[in-house]
Amino acid sequence: KAAVALTVASVSAVMLAGCSSDSGSGSGKIAFIQGVSGDEFYISMQCGIEAAAKDAGLTVDTQGPAKFDPTLQKPIVDSVVASRPSAILIAPTDVAAMQAPLAAAANAGIKVVLVDTTLDDPSIAASAISSDNVGGGAEAFKAIESLNPNGGKVLIISTDPGVSTVDARVKGFEDAAAENSSFDYLGVQYSHNDPAEAAKLVSAALAKDPDIVGVFATNTFSAEGTATGVRQAGKQDQVKIVGFDAGPAQVKQLREGTVQALIAQQPDTIGKDGIEQAKAAIDGGEVTKDISTGFHVITADNIDGEGAQYIYKS
Ligand code: T6T
């Protein structure tokens, strides 16, 4: 386990190259545990965290599991708890499976701040910060709706059930779709955060329903794979894709015209807010239990203008 944690930590250190600021050097020790390492969303969040920590005189150590998987994230939490940081900022990989490990951290006197994803019972945390994921899912439906004014069959490709963020995006999309009877909602399929699996699911869905007009992909990896699947089926003129997130590969697919819209989050703001809340909790100050951050819709029309600032760092 130690070897795994070391490898992941060094991957994380390399990723710092994309940030404009290095880690702080103060005495307060903070741990940031990503949902998965190498994901541009968490890399951008790490940049926000590093910059805010530096200003606050805090030191940050970042680690992340190699996959978005609670069986890989739990041992990282356990070893971080043993190292006794003042606070842990974490994106839990499952609402249920990460509950007990994080309750143990809180019971050990470590301030827990949830960044991005949450838990079944977030009351163990000092604060929980996330995008308006339900709102973002509804916005994704609106985009598909305006790209397909006559309606038609739509599908969702998500990662795994039990991930609070993507589940909320699915709900936002489903509720909005239920209000427009010209759309035929085919349901949600789970790609386990694997682009190749997402591409396979989309190919199979298009073989079964060749008249699908839109796909909502709930995060970076589902969106990348969805675009590949649609392109391989030669259906990029027919199927409109709206993806959550704005990693560089997603932006490339938007520029190429395979993807029509991206719902960009503000991971750096989530990270900055996370440090502010952790500092307040450590100092015994006032914390805000729930913070909701915004999103921005990026399209080919604004990618070279105001949309550009929302592209994630890599
Ligand atoms: O969409 C983000 C994040 O909000 C979600 O919880 C997991 O996937 C991402 O990290 C993107 O890959």
Side-chain angles (χ1 to χ4, degrees), residues 39 41-42 68 116-117 163 165 169 218-221 245 265:
D39 174 335
F41 173 82
Y42 296 116
F68 199 96
D116 179 44
T117 43
V163 179
T165 46
R169 294 167 200 166
T218 64
N219 84 334
T220 296
F221 300 102
D245 296 305
Q265 306 186 69

Side-chain angles (χ1 to χ4, degrees), residues 7-75:
T7 313
V8 174
S10 45
V11 166
S12 225
V14 171
M15 293 184 325
L16 272 179
C19 300
S20 55
S21 140
D22 54 9
S23 129
S25 56
S27 54
K29 213 171 73 172
I30 308 282
F32 170 41
I33 304 176
Q34 301 164 317
V36 60
S37 63
D39 174 335
E40 290 118 0
F41 173 82
Y42 296 116
I43 294 172
S44 302
M45 187 186 291
Q46 184 182 356
C47 292
I49 287 172
E50 295 286 349
K54 196 176 183 199
D55 289 348
L58 299 167
T59 308
V60 181
D61 175 53
T62 299
Q63 298 182 52
K67 284 188 189 163
F68 199 96
D69 179 342
T71 64
L72 301 180
Q73 194 183 41
K74 182 185 176 298

Side-chain angles (χ1 to χ4, degrees), residues 120-205:
D120 276 337
D121 177 8
S123 68
I124 60 109
S127 177
I129 303 140
S130 69
S131 303
D132 172 8
N133 289 299
V134 174
E139 195 66 35
F141 180 71
K142 250 204 236 166
I144 288 206
E145 207 174 25
S146 60
L147 290 157
N148 295 288
N150 298 324
K153 291 181 182 168
V154 290
L155 174 75
I156 301 182
I157 300 293
S158 195
T159 63
D160 282 295
V163 179
S164 66
T165 46
V166 293
D167 283 351
R169 294 167 200 166
V170 168
K171 179 167 178 8
F173 186 95
E174 284 179 343
D175 289 354
E179 284 176 21
N180 185 337
S181 60
S182 57
F183 282 88
D184 181 6
Y185 171 51
L186 301 178
V188 51
Q189 297 197 27
Y190 296 102
S191 64
H192 316 303
N193 214 26
D194 175 359
E197 183 60 27
K200 255 200 245 166
L201 292 174
V202 168
S203 303

